[in-house]
């Protein structure tokens, strides 16, 4: 009797195939559950005559292991099928990934960083919300200077001492406060002026300021540094021209033009038929500025320059409407795709 039952269970597990994990669980209950067919065999086993117990016991135990293995194998087979069904199809065509592009202002700034880092300048930054001392007073602006006027400067309401910086020269002051000569820094950043927004003027733009202070720094060093900058930016045959100018914080001061790259100096629409393009302001740091910042002008001298990043971008990329740099229109930005 028990032999027949064993044979029948063996036959079943040899032919049954579960369709789902639920089927497997049903089979487990059918064979190995409390009232399962294999469990029942152990009850039947009590009736088996003693002299046969050894042989039948071994058969029943074997069968139990066999059934258990069958259940495990079915479980694994169906479990794996399920995982396989969830796997992505790696042969499918992928969605194209849109790669961003650098903003033209970032491109120019990065170029300036590497040009100046190559000759030992460090990049330093300062706050956009500043006080009068760092933006004006320590830079030798007299109290009645028109740049302090509400027309040009955004003062923070209720406190006329706190304002949005109108130039990054304030960062030069901070560099002088926190380090001792020799100082060799460039200071990039956003600046703010109370201007009506148009294609040629904006209330926000970017500057990169440079400052070099050491013993025996002369105007010749300034000129040579600017020539190096112009040639790195616009090409090896670029010429520069300095015109006398005025800034409260430099003496003497100059405005710097570079030869127009487009017409090679012959004159064209871009340089307004002069052959020259104005790019930056510069000068020897005024002894008063050094004194205000506890640097002895009898021992040290220095030069400074400030360049408008949008201005350089306009020259380099021929984008003449300043507003485009701030609108972040993707149709504009994607034109710089791939430019590093
Ligand atoms: N701060 C000036 C401006 O915003 C630019 C400038 C001119 C900076 C001469 C300098 C400099 O450091 O020496 O127009």
């Amino acid at each position: 009797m028990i032999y027949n039952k064993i044979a029948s269970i063996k036959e079943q597990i040899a032919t049954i195939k579960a369709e789902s994990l639920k089927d497997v669980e049903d089979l487990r209950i059918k064979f190995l559950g409390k009232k399962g067919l294999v469990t029942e065999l152990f009850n039947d086993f009590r009736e088996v005559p003693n002299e046969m117990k050894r042989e039948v016991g071994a058969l029943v135990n074997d069968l139990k292991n066999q059934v258990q293995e069958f259940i495990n194998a079915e479980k694994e087979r169906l479990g794996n099928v399920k995982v396989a069904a969830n796997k992505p199809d790696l042969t499918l065509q992928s969605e194209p990934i849109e790669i961003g592009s650098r903003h033209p202002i970032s491109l120019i700034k990065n170029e300036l960083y590497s040009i100046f880092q190559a000759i030992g300048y460090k990049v330093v930054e300062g706050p956009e919300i500043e006080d009068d001392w760092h933006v004006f007073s320590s830079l030798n602006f007299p109290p009645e200077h028109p740049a302090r006027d509400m027309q040009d400067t955004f003062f923070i309401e209720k406190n006329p001492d706190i304002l949005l910086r109108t130039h990054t020269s304030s960062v030069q002051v901070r560099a002088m406060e926190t380090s001792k000569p020799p100082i060799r820094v460039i200071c990039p950043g956003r600046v703010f002026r109370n201007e009506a927004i148009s294609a040629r003027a904006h209330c926000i733009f970017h500057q990169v300021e440079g400052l070099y202070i050491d013993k025996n720094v002369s105007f010749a060093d300034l000129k040579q540094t600017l020539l190096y900058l112009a040639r790195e930016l616009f090409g090896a045959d670029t010429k520069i021209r300095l015109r006398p100018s005025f800034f409260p914080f430099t003496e003497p001061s100059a405005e710097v033009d570079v030869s127009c790259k487009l017409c090679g100096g012959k004159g064209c629409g871009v340089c307004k038929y002069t052959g020259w393009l104005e790019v930056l302001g510069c000068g020897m740091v005024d002894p008063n500025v050094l004194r205000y910042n506890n640097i002895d002008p009898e021992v040290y001298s220095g030069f400074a320059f400030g360049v408008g990043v949008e201005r350089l971008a306009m020259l380099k990329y021929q984008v003449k409407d300043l507003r485009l740099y701030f609108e972040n229109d993707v149709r504009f930005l994607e034109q710089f795709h791939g430019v590093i």
Side-chain angles (χ1 to χ4, degrees):
M1 185 57 186
I2 197 162
Y3 287 107
N4 291 344
K5 283 190 178 172
I6 290 173
S8 144
I9 292 172
K10 278 194 170 183
E11 198 187 311
Q12 287 188 54
I13 63 167
T15 50
I16 290 176
K17 254 198 175 335
E19 302 267 304
S20 65
L21 286 171
K22 167 140 193 342
D23 283 359
V24 180
E25 180 58 8
D26 290 346
L27 288 171
R28 188 191 66 78
I29 293 167
K30 176 178 174 187
F31 293 110
L32 303 172
K34 256 188 187 165
K35 291 181 181 160
L37 296 176
V38 177
T39 318
E40 260 176 22
L41 287 181
F42 284 90
N43 296 333
D44 295 348
F45 180 72
R46 278 186 227 127
E47 316 294 320
V48 173
N50 277 344
E51 62 276 17
M52 289 171 67
K53 270 205 158 74
R54 232 180 116 96
E55 187 194 323
V56 175
L59 285 177
V60 173
N61 270 329
D62 274 357
L63 180 69
K64 189 186 164 200
N65 290 339
Q66 225 175 315
V67 172
Q68 186 65 60
E69 270 168 31
F70 162 73
I71 299 284
N72 289 349
E74 286 292 272
K75 217 185 232 174
E76 201 180 307
R77 179 175 66 83
L78 290 161
N80 283 344
V81 166
K82 211 173 152 218
V83 171
N86 279 343
K87 268 193 187 158
D89 180 351
L90 297 178
T91 63
L92 281 178
Q93 187 84 27
S94 65
E95 293 280 329
I97 299 170
E98 294 283 345
I99 299 175
S101 45
R102 284 195 208 285
H103 194 283
I105 297 301
S106 302
L107 292 169
I108 299 281
K109 278 202 299 186
N110 289 346
E111 202 173 343
L112 290 171
Y113 296 166
S114 61
I115 290 172
F116 281 102
Q117 279 170 338
I119 54 169
Y121 282 69
K122 204 168 75 177
V123 179
V124 293
E125 287 184 289
E128 293 178 346
I129 300 175
E130 267 290 9
D131 52 26
D132 181 278
W133 172 255
H134 289 92
V135 177
F136 298 128
S137 297
S138 69
L139 287 163
N140 207 31
F141 280 76
E144 70 287 356
H145 195 282
R148 293 165 185 265
D149 200 301
M150 299 287 280
Q151 298 294 310
D152 296 304
T153 306
F154 289 113
F155 289 93
I156 304 289
E157 225 178 343
K158 293 199 181 105
N159 189 345
D161 188 45
I162 308 294
L163 45 103
L164 295 180
R165 66 181 178 196
T166 54
H167 53 183
T168 46
S169 307
S170 53
V171 190
Q172 290 185 2
V173 177
R174 292 190 174 272
M176 288 188 270
E177 281 172 353
T178 52
S179 48
K180 293 210 170 340
I183 298 171
R184 235 189 253 117
V185 290
I186 55 166
C187 320
R190 289 195 297 184
V191 300
F192 308 86
R193 290 185 195 177
N194 196 354
E195 305 253 7
I197 297 172
S198 70
R200 298 181 57 86
H202 210 291
C203 60
I204 168 174
F205 56 100
H206 297 76
Q207 289 186 331
V208 172
E209 190 97 9
L211 175 71
Y212 177 35
I213 298 175
D214 203 349
K215 290 178 179 154
N216 302 318
V217 176
S218 72
F219 203 90
D221 297 317
L222 169 59
K223 226 178 128 182
Q224 204 56 34
T225 306
L226 296 173
L227 184 62
Y228 161 73
L229 167 63
R231 292 190 164 165
E232 289 292 314
L233 271 179
F234 298 110
D237 52 357
T238 308
K239 295 187 194 67
I240 60 168
R241 168 174 96 166
L242 276 73
R243 286 177 286 107
S245 184
F246 175 79
F247 300 104
F249 35 90
T250 45
E251 182 59 37
S253 306
E255 216 107 37
V256 181
D257 299 341
V258 295
S259 53
C260 180
K261 203 179 147 186
L262 279 160
C263 62
K266 285 192 206 78
C268 68
V270 172
C271 61
K272 300 202 192 87
Y273 301 96
T274 63
W276 296 95
L277 298 161
E278 183 186 323
V279 288
L280 56 83
C282 67
M284 300 304 291
V285 180
D286 193 292
N288 275 346
V289 174
L290 294 177
R291 236 174 261 126
Y292 289 145
N293 289 289
N294 296 320
I295 295 171
D296 185 352
E298 301 299 325
V299 181
Y300 293 103
S301 56
F303 63 69
F305 54 88
V307 39
V309 182
E310 282 77 5
R311 172 95 190 129
L312 291 183
M314 270 168 129
L315 297 178
K316 187 148 183 173
Y317 302 120
Q318 299 295 308
V319 178
K320 297 211 185 74
D321 190 330
L322 273 176
R323 291 168 293 198
L324 285 166
Y325 295 111
F326 296 95
E327 282 164 359
N328 285 332
D329 186 327
V330 183
R331 290 166 302 179
F332 171 63
L333 296 178
E334 68 190 7
Q335 295 177 51
F336 297 91
H337 199 99
V339 187
I340 297 183

